[in-house]
Amino acid sequence: MICILLVAGHGTVLQTQIKNDDTGLYSHLTGVPKALLPGIRGKKILDFWWETVNMRQLFTEVYLVTNADKYKHYERWATANDFPVGNVINDGSTTLEDRLGAVADLELAIRSRKLLDDIVVIAGDMLCADQNFDIAQVIRFFRSKPGELIIYYELEEGEKSSSRGIVEVCPDTHRICRFLEKPQEGLTASRLASVVFYCIQRETLPYLSDFLSLQPQATDRTFGQFWEWLINEKQLDVFGMKLPTGFQLIGQVGLSDYTKWLTHYSTKQQEIPAKPITCRSYARVGLMGNPSDGFNGKTIAMTISNFWAEVTLVESPTLVLVPHPLNDPTEFGSLQDLFCISRKEGYLGGLRLLQATCKKFYQFCSKQGIALTKQNFTLKYDTNIPRQVGLAGSSAIVSATLKCLMKFYNITDNDLPKPIRANFILNVETDELFITAGLQDRVVQVYEGLVYMDFSKKLMEDQGYGNYVPMDTSELPPFWLAYLSDPSDSGRIHSNVRQRWLNEEPLVVEAMKTFAELTDKARTVLQERNWNLLAQLMDQNFELRRSVYTDDCLGPGNLKMVQLARQVGPRGFNCLLHLLLLIFLLAVPFQGPTERIICLHLTLSSEPFCLNNTPDTFLRPLQPACTRLFNSFPQSPLLLTTDPKYLKSCTFFTSAPCTLSVPLIQTHVFRLAAANLHSSAFQSRPPPL
C-alpha cells in the first residue's frame, strides 16, 4: 500500500493576513507553507502526519505532492525529517490561478511514479484534534470492505455543514449512500463531515482520469466533486469510517480561524489526560417475566441504588488492568483459606470482565468503522454487589467499563445506541466468557430505573433488539430484597430449559408465553398502582418458574426465602428492620444512651410495627442481642408495641450471635448470619454521582 500526502495548496488568504498583521506576532510565519505552520504542542502540522504514516509494515512508499512555489521549503523539511527527498513531487504550479486541483495532483503522483497499488490519500495541511489515532485500524477496516473508504467525523457544535463535504452513511453496512459537497441548509440532516483522508483501491484509480476529462477547470477538480460523481452518479461502493475526533483543513482560511482552531485543539489535548473517568452501573432485580428474556418473552425489571459496580479509567503510558484486592485474590493465608474462598466465591473475579470488555470494544469499533486513538489507560473496579445471587453483578462491571471506554474514546450514543449497547454487554459475557445470561439485565442497566422489555421473536429478528420502554418510578411501593449469603453460580439455575425450549417442548413454550402475558398485566397494574394485584402476579410468576425449572434446580435456599416472605409479608420484614436497627443503635460505640433512644424513638414513631405475626424462626438468631436489649432498657418504646410473649427467653433455641456491620447500615442492608439470610429495603432509582 502507498500513502500520498497532498500539500500543494497555495493558501493566499492566510499568507496575506500574516503579512498584514500589525501585531508582529506572526511575522516569522511569512512565506511558510500551510503544512509547515506550527500545529498542536509545537509540532509542525506535517510532522504529525509523517509520524503517523512512517510505518514500513503498512506503507511501502510515502510520497509528498507540493507546488513549485513551496517546493524548496518541503525539500528542506524532507532532509531534516528523514523523508526521502526523491519522493517529493513538484506539480509545477506557482500561483493559485495556475493550480492543478487536488484530484489532478493525486493523478499526477500516480501517473508519474507508475503506481499500481492501493492508495491512502491525506491532506498534509489538516489539523487533527487528537494526534494519537490508530491508522493501522483504518487500513484493516478498508481491507475488510469491497470498495473505497472515506474518513469522516461528527461536526462539532458551531461548525456548519455548508462548509464541508457531508456524507450520509448506512449504519448497518457503513456504505456511503450519498455525498453532498457543501450542501445548503436543510438539504440533509447528516452532521457527518468528510475530510481529505481516503483509501482507494488500485482498480478504482482509472476513474481519476475519467473524472478529470470531465472537469477541465481546476476549481472543479476538488475531492468533494469527485466523490459526488463517483458515489451519486457512478454508484460505486464507497464506505465510511468515523474518527471520534475533529479535523480542520488549513485551506482558504484566515489568520483568526487558524489561531482559533489551534487554541481550541491545544486546549482539548491538555484536558484529556488530566481527569480520571469514573462510571457506575447498578444491580438489578426482575419484577416480572423473569427468565423469559432469553426465550422471546417479556419482562419488567429495575435497577437498585443500594448495590453498584464502579469502574475508574485513568490515562497511562501502558494499558493496565488492576486486580481487585478481594475479588481477584492472588495471595492466601493458608491452603484452607484458599479452599474456603474458592468454594464460596469460585475462581473467576472481575478482572476477566474488564479484559473481555476491552477486547470486545476494540473489535466492535473496528467492525463498525470507528477508528480509535492510540491512547493507553489504567482500569480498576470496585463493587458491592453480592456475588452469584442473581443481581447482575457481572454485567454491572461490564456496563460500567463500557461507559468509561465510551467517554475516553469519545464514542457517542449515535455510535453505540442504548439497545445495541445492551447487546454488546451480553455478547461480552456469552461470546467471550461463556456466561449463561439473557438481555434483561443488560437492558435495564443501560436504561436504568424501571423498564418494560419485549423480546418477541419478530422484533429481535427484524431489528436485532427488543422494544424497551422506561416506566414511571415516582410512586412505587416499598420493596424488600432477600438473598442467600452462600449462593451458587446464578448461571446454573437456567438448567436445561433452553434446550427444551429449542426442542419446542409444549410445557416450556407455553410457560414463556404465559410469562409474557403476566408481564403485560403487571405493566398495567403498575400504571394503575394496584399493589395487591402486583403481589399476586409476582406469586404467579414464581410458581410458573418453579413448575418449569423444578425445585431441585431452584434450590432449597431460594425456596425457603420465598416461603418465609409469603408467611411474613411486608409487615414482618418491616418489624425485622426495626429490630435490627434497634440493635445497631445499641451497638454503635460513639453514641450515648440518650442519642440511641432519640434515634430509636424517631424510627419507631415513623411507622409502628408489631411482632405478633412474625414466625419464631425470624427471632431466634436475635435472642442474645434482644436479651441484652431488654435488660438494659426495660422502658424502651419497643415494649409498648411488642407482644411480650416474643420477649421470653424460652422462645429462642439458639445462642448464635447476630453479626452486624456498621458500614452496611448506610445502604439499609442487614445480614443475619445465623439465619443465613439478607434483607434489604432498596431504591428503584440510582442517585446522582
Side-chain angles (χ1 to χ4, degrees):
M1 196 165 200
I2 293 169
C3 179
I4 299 177
L5 300 173
L6 299 180
V7 291
H10 290 272
T12 54
V13 175
L14 181 57
Q15 278 301 313
T16 300
Q17 292 189 5
I18 288 175
K19 287 178 183 179
N20 297 333
D21 179 52
D22 295 332
T23 66
L25 296 175
Y26 305 100
S27 58
H28 62 290
L29 301 180
T30 302
V32 176
K34 295 179 297 180
L36 299 183
L37 289 171
I40 301 170
R41 293 179 179 173
K43 286 184 180 179
K44 295 179 177 67
I45 298 173
L46 185 58
D47 289 345
F48 158 65
W49 291 112
W50 173 229
E51 289 177 6
T52 301
V53 302
N54 187 17
M55 302 175 68
R56 283 292 175 185
Q57 63 268 39
L58 292 180
F59 303 110
T60 55
E61 292 288 350
V62 179
Y63 292 93
L64 187 76
V65 182
T66 183
N67 56 53
D69 184 42
K70 302 299 182 185
Y71 177 79
K72 278 296 179 182
H73 288 271
Y74 288 109
E75 187 181 55
R76 185 161 298 180
W77 172 87
T79 304
N81 289 273
D82 199 27
F83 185 94
V85 177
N87 286 2
V88 179
I89 301 172
N90 186 345
D91 74 356
S93 68
T94 56
T95 66
L96 183 64
E97 288 70 26
D98 68 354
R99 69 188 183 279
L100 302 187
V103 177
D105 280 328
L106 173 60
E107 193 273 340
L108 170 66
I110 293 170
R111 176 168 42 83
S112 64
R113 300 307 168 98
K114 298 181 174 55
L115 304 181
L116 298 173
D117 202 349
D118 295 340
I119 302 291
V120 172
V121 186
I122 301 173
D125 57 355
M126 187 165 54
L127 268 176
C128 179
D130 197 325
Q131 302 198 354
N132 290 303
F133 69 84
D134 188 357
I135 196 168
Q137 190 182 18
V138 174
I139 303 304
R140 282 194 295 272
F141 184 72
F142 165 62
R143 287 174 174 162
S144 72
K145 297 297 180 182
E148 324 318 311
L149 180 66
I150 289 178
I151 298 299
Y152 65 88
Y153 77 102
E154 193 163 356
L155 289 172
E156 297 185 0
E157 190 176 350
E159 286 189 86
K160 294 183 178 180
S161 57
S162 58
S163 65
R164 309 304 298 267
I166 301 299
V167 293
E168 296 176 352
V169 184
C170 173
D172 298 322
T173 64
H174 313 294
R175 187 176 182 269
I176 295 178
C177 309
R178 192 163 62 140
F179 189 104
L180 301 168
E181 175 66 358
K182 300 178 180 178
Q184 294 180 354
E185 196 72 29
L187 193 57
T188 178
S190 176
R191 296 278 298 166
L192 305 178
S194 141
V195 296
V196 183
F197 191 148
Y198 315 121
C199 298
I200 304 174
Q201 297 181 111
R202 58 182 298 179
E203 295 82 6
T204 309
L205 297 181
Y207 280 94
L208 295 170
S209 300
D210 295 343
F211 171 76
L212 292 173
S213 66
L214 299 173
Q215 305 292 347
Q217 300 298 321
T219 53
D220 298 324
R221 293 178 167 186
T222 65
F223 278 113
Q225 289 170 291
F226 171 73
W227 291 116
E228 272 191 322
W229 174 74
L230 200 66
I231 295 170
N232 304 351
E233 293 186 30
K234 290 298 184 180
Q235 297 288 307
L236 258 64
D237 287 335
V238 179
F239 297 87
M241 185 176 199
K242 181 181 179 182
L243 279 179
T245 186
F247 289 88
Q248 292 296 346
L249 187 63
I250 311 300
Q252 297 300 311
V253 299
L255 181 60
S256 61
D257 288 324
Y258 165 67
T259 54
K260 179 184 69 176
W261 291 335
L262 197 59
T263 302
H264 174 64
Y265 288 165
S266 296
T267 301
K268 291 183 72 171
Q269 285 281 312
Q270 292 168 6
E271 289 174 354
I272 289 174
K275 216 174 185 181
I277 298 170
T278 299
C279 297
R280 277 185 182 180
S281 284
Y282 294 89
R284 78 94 187 98
V285 289
L287 288 185
M288 194 64 59
N290 194 28
S292 69
D293 55 315
F295 306 93
N296 298 131
K298 300 177 181 179
T299 67
I300 296 175
M302 66 181 179
T303 51
I304 56 176
S305 63
N306 305 71
F307 302 114
W308 63 82
E310 185 175 272
V311 175
T312 299
L313 183 152
V314 183
E315 189 171 0
S316 58
T318 58
L319 200 155
V320 180
L321 305 179
V322 180
H324 191 278
L326 291 178
N327 299 330
D328 304 292
T330 56
E331 294 184 14
F332 302 89
S334 65
L335 189 59
Q336 181 184 10
D337 183 35
L338 181 148
F339 167 78
C340 293
I341 292 175
S342 302
R343 176 179 172 273
K344 183 176 181 180
E345 300 184 8
Y347 305 99
L348 304 173
L351 198 62
R352 61 178 180 142
L353 299 170
L354 302 185
Q355 186 171 352
T357 306
C358 291
K359 182 217 172 189
K360 202 74 174 177
F361 180 78
Y362 183 88
Q363 180 181 333
F364 173 86
C365 290
S366 298
K367 185 177 179 182
Q368 295 299 313
I370 302 172
L372 301 177
T373 55
K374 290 195 295 185
Q375 293 170 276
N376 286 323
F377 53 83
T378 295
L379 269 182
K380 63 179 180 179
Y381 78 98
D382 195 9
T383 179
N384 65 356
I385 301 176
R387 297 185 65 181
Q388 300 179 345
V389 297
L391 292 176
S394 295
S395 60
I397 295 174
V398 176
S399 176
T401 303
L402 179 59
K403 289 179 183 178
C404 286
L405 291 171
M406 288 180 66
K407 284 188 177 182
F408 185 67
Y409 287 108
N410 194 29
I411 304 301
T412 67
D413 287 344
N414 291 330
D415 299 322
L416 189 50
K418 285 185 176 181
I420 306 302
R421 212 178 305 168
N423 291 350
F424 175 95
I425 296 168
L426 179 64
N427 291 338
V428 169
E429 298 180 83
T430 57
D431 297 351
E432 299 296 321
L433 302 173
F434 308 104
I435 297 174
T436 302
L439 264 173
Q440 171 189 235
D441 301 358
R442 290 85 203 155
V443 171
V444 74
Q445 285 173 330
V446 168
Y447 283 82
E448 296 188 345
L450 182 68
V451 184
Y452 167 87
M453 293 161 270
D454 182 355
F455 303 98
S456 66
K457 184 177 181 181
K458 180 171 176 33
L459 283 173
M460 298 300 292
E461 288 180 349
D462 289 350
Q463 62 187 26
Y465 52 85
N467 180 33
Y468 310 136
V469 183
M471 299 179 66
D472 182 24
T473 61
S474 58
E475 296 185 31
L476 286 177
F479 286 91
W480 288 90
L481 172 67
Y483 58 92
L484 296 173
S485 63
D486 188 12
S488 62
D489 186 345
S490 60
R492 296 172 191 164
I493 204 169
H494 294 283
S495 186
N496 65 342
V497 171
R498 168 158 292 280
Q499 191 57 51
R500 292 163 60 194
W501 180 71
L502 292 172
N503 293 340
E504 299 184 349
E505 182 179 316
L507 174 65
V508 178
V509 172
E510 286 305 312
M512 297 308 162
K513 292 180 180 178
T514 306
F515 278 127
E517 293 169 1
L518 290 172
T519 300
D520 284 333
K521 291 179 182 178
R523 183 184 182 185
T524 302
V525 165
L526 282 164
Q527 292 168 342
E528 296 173 349
R529 294 175 170 77
N530 188 339
W531 310 133
N532 289 329
L533 185 52
L534 176 63
Q536 294 174 23
L537 292 173
M538 292 174 73
D539 275 342
Q540 292 178 42
N541 192 95
F542 175 76
E543 291 303 332
L544 180 60
R545 181 172 184 173
R546 187 176 185 179
S547 68
V548 174
Y549 286 88
T550 73
D551 287 0
D552 289 339
C553 188
L554 294 181
N558 290 320
L559 295 173
K560 184 178 180 182
M561 282 195 296
V562 174
Q563 181 185 5
L564 288 173
R566 285 174 172 174
Q567 286 177 343
V568 176
R571 192 180 274 264
F573 275 110
N574 201 40
C575 68
L576 175 63
L577 168 64
H578 284 84
L579 273 174
L580 288 169
L581 180 58
L582 180 62
I583 296 167
F584 171 78
L585 290 170
L586 294 172
V588 176
F590 52 80
Q591 284 188 317
T594 303
E595 288 85 350
R596 297 173 193 164
I597 290 296
I598 292 173
C599 291
L600 176 61
H601 177 73
L602 292 174
T603 302
L604 297 179
S605 62
S606 65
E607 189 174 356
F609 68 99
C610 70
L611 300 176
N612 289 351
N613 298 320
T614 305
D616 292 350
T617 52
F618 263 54
L619 295 176
R620 288 171 189 164
L622 302 176
Q623 185 266 337
C626 287
T627 301
R628 291 195 299 274
L629 167 66
F630 297 118
N631 287 340
S632 304
F633 296 92
Q635 300 302 320
S636 72
L638 183 65
L639 295 178
L640 303 177
T641 56
T642 304
D643 191 322
K645 72 178 182 180
Y646 288 102
L647 305 180
K648 298 176 183 178
S649 60
C650 62
T651 304
F652 306 101
F653 302 102
T654 178
S655 60
C658 172
T659 59
L660 292 168
S661 174
V662 173
L664 291 182
I665 198 73
Q666 297 171 358
T667 54
H668 309 294
V669 182
F670 306 97
R671 176 176 177 179
L672 303 181
N676 212 30
L677 179 71
H678 295 254
S679 300
S680 171
F682 57 81
Q683 305 170 30
S684 60
R685 289 179 297 174
L689 290 176

